[in-house]
Every structure is written in C-alpha cells, then in structure tokens.
Amino acid sequence: MTASTVPPLPALPARPIKQARKRAVIRPLIGWLMAAIAFVAIGVFMAWNYGPQLAREVALRHGGATTQQARLLDGVCKTRKAIFTDCSGHFEFLTRPEHGQQLVKAKLDYLMMLSLDDDIPLTVTYDPARPEVNTTSWGQNHLWNRVGTLAGMVLFCVGMGPLFVVLAFTPMRRERALRAALQKPKAGAVRLSNLRSAGKRLTLKVHFKRGGKWRAFDHVMFKDESPLMLGETDRALAVMSPDGIPHVLDTGLADLTLSPQEREQIQRAAQTWPD
C-alpha cells in the first residue's frame, strides 16, 4: 500500500471526548516501586555481604602467611543458570609455629562466574595478627572473577532501581496523555504484535512511528477486551496524544464517552478498512 493509496482512518468526533473510565494505576505503581526497593536492597546486601571479605582477601595477597595444614570440613557448590556458582562450606587450618600454631575454624562463601576449580590443593592464607581473617587457595585463584562478579551484580541490581521507578510512573503518564489526547481527538493506526495473556490482563506490543523512527512499547488491556483492528490487517485504531504516543482502543470503545451512533460509525469504519 503506497502513501497515496492509504485509506482514511475512522473519524473520531471533532469535539473533546470525556474519558469513560480510568485505568488502574496505583497497583502497578506500588508493584514497580516495591520491585525497585527490592532490587536496590539486594544489591546493597550483596555489597555488604561479600565486599568486606573480598577487600580483606585482596590485602592478604601481599601481607598474609600461608599454611598447607588445612582441610575442608564440609562444602557445596551450586551453579545457577549455568553461569553463576555459589560455594559455601567450612574448613579448618593450623597457623604456623611462629604464629602460635593454633587451630582455626573458618567459613568460605564464594560467588563467581562459571565453576570453582577445586583441583588446586587446599592451602590457607591468613593474617598472622588476626588468623580469623583468612582465605583459601580456591578463593585466591578466583579472586578477580569474584570481584568482577560482585561488581557486575551490584551494579545490575542498583541500576534496575531507577528503571523500575520509571516503569512505575509510566501508567500514570499514559493516563495523562490519554486525557490530553481526548481534548483534540486524532485517530492513528498502530501495528500490534506479541499478544500475551496473564491473569486479568492482556499485554500487546505496540509499534508506531514517531519522529520518523519506529518505536514500540507494551500496552496493557483488560482481559475481556480486544484491540479494535483495522480490517484484516495487523493494525489497530488508536488515539494519538499531542506528543505522538498512541492509546490503543478496544473493540467496544469503552475508554471513550460516545453516543451509540458515534460508536457504531467508528466500529463499522474500522471493520471495513481496506487491507
């Protein structure tokens, strides 16, 4: 279909239209904000839980004493998503004679990419002044792996917080955009794809042109709704906000306060829109 043969869109009334109902925005707002808090909290907890130990292990690389009189008491490694490995366990070691030769029990807790190389003989490096500050040859062999893994996961979790805050207020911005659009109603055609149904919601991917470029976002409808398609195409009828953001209309036009005649005229024009 060429630009010169694009059929006219179904005409919306040339008057301000009232919004017939408001979308639920408080529950998504709370949900996204809770997700933001949870992700930031996870990132802070991981930095608090693993960071100090890694800092001490970096220091032990240059000022620690090493002993081979060590044995693993128990331990387990779990690989998640075939990428991250979490190892935990307990070990004990004897400090060297010049440091008092005392038996010290300690815990290992390693988070890293890929798997632990346990073929390396177990040795322990400790602080002679404070033997409770220690690390194993396994931890030292994967030290920079663990540092990079922790940094990446903390940055990811903390970075997701602002993103979730933006998503939290997105429904409210779209509600305001719809109210603004209905002051001077303008019809638009958008492409739809990837319809997903979950619970009481229908989520669909909306593709539209803005500033000469194709853009896309997820649009949520009630599960008992379906988009008002234009003919037999993959396009649906939408109300365009002043900044070019579309609001997809449902087949019953339930979001708009219209007379029965106006509603029927728009629905009929959409059904007979040429392919």
Side-chain angles (χ1 to χ4, degrees):
M1 184 183 300
T2 65
S4 60
T5 61
V6 172
L9 290 166
L12 297 176
R15 59 173 174 81
I17 302 175
K18 291 185 178 180
Q19 186 178 358
R21 61 182 179 183
K22 293 184 178 180
R23 298 274 165 167
V25 295
I26 299 302
R27 184 177 296 178
L29 173 67
I30 295 174
W32 284 117
L33 290 179
M34 292 297 292
I37 294 171
F39 267 76
V40 171
I42 291 171
V44 172
F45 171 78
M46 292 182 66
W48 172 82
N49 187 54
Y50 292 102
Q53 175 65 25
L54 286 172
R56 290 191 291 266
E57 291 190 38
V58 171
L60 285 174
R61 292 176 70 90
H62 306 289
T66 302
T67 177
Q68 294 182 340
Q69 297 188 59
R71 70 187 183 98
L72 184 68
L73 300 176
D74 60 69
V76 62
C77 288
K78 297 179 181 179
T79 300
R80 310 175 191 279
K81 306 293 185 182
I83 299 177
F84 298 105
T85 297
D86 184 10
C87 295
S88 60
H90 299 83
F91 63 95
E92 63 181 16
F93 64 95
L94 275 174
T95 60
R96 290 160 58 171
E98 61 266 33
H99 302 139
Q101 201 165 28
Q102 58 178 309
L103 181 65
V104 179
K105 293 187 177 181
K107 180 182 179 181
L108 61 85
D109 190 6
Y110 301 152
L111 176 67
M112 68 194 75
M113 298 280 286
L114 304 179
S115 60
L116 177 72
D117 183 6
D118 57 0
D119 291 335
I120 301 171
L122 176 62
T123 60
V124 173
T125 302
Y126 63 93
D127 183 344
R130 295 186 302 157
E132 67 274 10
V133 177
N134 52 68
T135 183
T136 68
S137 52
W138 299 335
Q140 288 287 296
N141 186 62
H142 297 280
L143 181 59
W144 300 118
N145 183 327
R146 294 160 56 205
V147 170
T149 300
L150 177 62
M153 295 190 72
V154 169
L155 288 174
F156 172 78
C157 290
V158 174
M160 291 299 288
L163 174 61
F164 286 155
V165 171
V166 171
L167 292 174
F169 289 96
T170 296
M172 299 180 69
R173 288 198 302 270
R174 289 181 181 164
E175 278 291 295
R176 289 196 298 269
L178 175 60
R179 288 196 295 270
L182 293 180
Q183 296 306 304
K184 294 182 179 181
K186 178 183 176 183
V190 295
R191 287 195 174 94
L192 302 183
S193 66
N194 196 24
L195 274 69
R196 306 186 303 277
S197 178
K200 296 181 179 181
R201 301 191 308 170
L202 175 69
T203 304
L204 43 93
K205 184 72 74 174
V206 179
H207 305 266
F208 64 103
K209 268 193 173 182
R210 184 185 182 193
K213 296 182 178 180
W214 280 100
R215 304 177 187 272
F217 69 92
D218 283 342
H219 180 77
V220 177
M221 306 183 78
F222 296 110
K223 195 172 182 180
D224 58 350
E225 294 179 339
S226 59
L228 180 56
M229 305 304 294
L230 295 172
E232 300 296 327
T233 67
D234 61 350
R235 298 190 181 191
L237 184 64
V239 177
M240 308 302 294
S241 68
D243 58 358
I245 302 297
H247 176 87
V248 180
L249 298 173
D250 69 290
T251 52
L253 299 171
D255 288 330
L256 310 182
T257 300
L258 300 169
S259 68
Q261 294 80 10
E262 291 172 332
R263 195 180 308 273
E264 182 181 354
Q265 182 180 1
I266 295 171
Q267 291 169 334
R268 183 169 59 250
Q271 293 169 1
T272 57
W273 201 73
D275 297 352

